[in-house]
């Protein structure tokens, strides 16, 4: 296998990641002045002891700045009934209007959470690790809830999908 230049590797990696299914989440935060949230798929668990999650955010986003400057964030895993919520938070709706879609409520840590989400995880930021164009935010889980009756919304190849048992 021949070694490729960095541009070719970047193109292959982008094509590979388009085919990689990921749960659609909306990460929310409040900086004491405003609420903000954005759609993200680079979110996963880190450890069970202590319970923790990570989210990778582009350095140029407002949410990135907010997470660097305040301690809490919420991860809302969307259900299959939420494609319109995902679209609103993916940049197609102005930030100040995004929370008008979906029925958001205020959490005790002051973030807006989606009560109809497939799952919600409230985190306290414990690390922020810069890497390339992004920062990896690690949060210690303070609370977590999953709705056993819903299925998560997945994103793959620029389209929404859902999961079904393979067998």
């Amino acid at each position: 296998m021949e070694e490729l230049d960095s541009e070719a590797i970047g193109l292959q990696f982008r094509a590979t990641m388009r085919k990689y299914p990921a749960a659609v989440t909306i990460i929310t935060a409040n900086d004491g002045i405003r609420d903000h949230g954005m759609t993200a798929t680079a979110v996963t668990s880190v450890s069970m002891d202590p319970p923790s999650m990570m989210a990778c955010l582009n350095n140029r986003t407002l949410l990135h700045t907010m997470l660097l400057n305040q301690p809490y964030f919420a991860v809302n895993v969307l259900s299959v009934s939420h494609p319109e919520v995902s679209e609103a938070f993916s940049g197609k709706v102005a930030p100040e209007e995004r929370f008008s879609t979906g029925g958001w409520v205020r959490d005790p840590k002051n973030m807006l959470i989606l009560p109809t989400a497939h799952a919600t995880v409230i985190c306290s930021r414990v690390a922020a690790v810069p890497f390339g164009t992004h920062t990896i935010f690690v949060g210690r889980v303070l609370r977590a809830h999953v709705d056993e009756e819903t299925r998560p919304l997945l994103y793959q190849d620029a389209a929404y999908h859902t999961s079904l048992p393979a067998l």
Side-chain angles (χ1 to χ4, degrees):
M1 184 182 230
E2 72 179 82
E3 197 166 310
L4 300 172
D5 64 41
S6 63
E7 184 177 338
I9 292 169
L11 290 171
Q12 285 184 343
F13 183 63
R14 183 178 299 274
T16 299
M17 295 311 295
R18 281 182 63 97
K19 300 294 184 181
Y20 187 85
V24 180
T25 70
I26 294 177
I27 300 171
T28 60
N30 178 286
D31 64 4
I33 300 168
R34 65 189 161 223
D35 296 301
H36 190 61
M38 62 179 264
T39 303
T41 55
V43 177
T44 192
S45 63
V46 174
S47 172
M48 289 297 143
D49 188 17
S52 51
M53 292 194 76
M54 67 173 219
C56 300
L57 298 178
N58 190 296
N59 299 340
R60 297 180 319 235
T61 64
L62 172 60
L63 189 60
H64 175 273
T65 302
M66 289 174 80
L67 291 189
L68 283 176
N69 295 303
Q70 62 83 38
Y72 304 108
F73 64 95
V75 176
N76 298 272
V77 180
L78 299 185
S79 77
V80 295
S81 65
H82 294 124
E84 74 288 347
V85 177
S86 174
E87 292 291 312
F89 282 79
S90 67
K92 295 181 180 169
V93 172
E96 60 275 4
E97 298 172 16
R98 292 177 184 172
F99 290 102
S100 64
T101 304
W104 297 83
V105 298
R106 185 108 14 227
D107 173 84
K109 294 292 184 191
N110 206 31
M111 280 114 19
L112 289 173
I113 59 169
L114 187 62
T116 57
H118 173 66
T120 303
V121 182
I122 307 301
C123 296
S124 173
R125 178 187 33 79
V126 295
V129 182
F131 188 83
T133 59
H134 286 62
T135 296
I136 303 160
F137 290 95
V138 178
R140 182 182 299 258
V141 175
L142 302 175
R143 284 187 304 286
H145 170 76
V146 66
D147 181 343
E148 299 288 346
E149 303 299 317
T150 61
R151 290 193 313 257
L153 182 64
L154 302 178
Y155 194 74
Q156 177 187 2
D157 207 12
Y160 295 111
H161 298 270
T162 187
S163 63
L164 295 173
L167 302 175

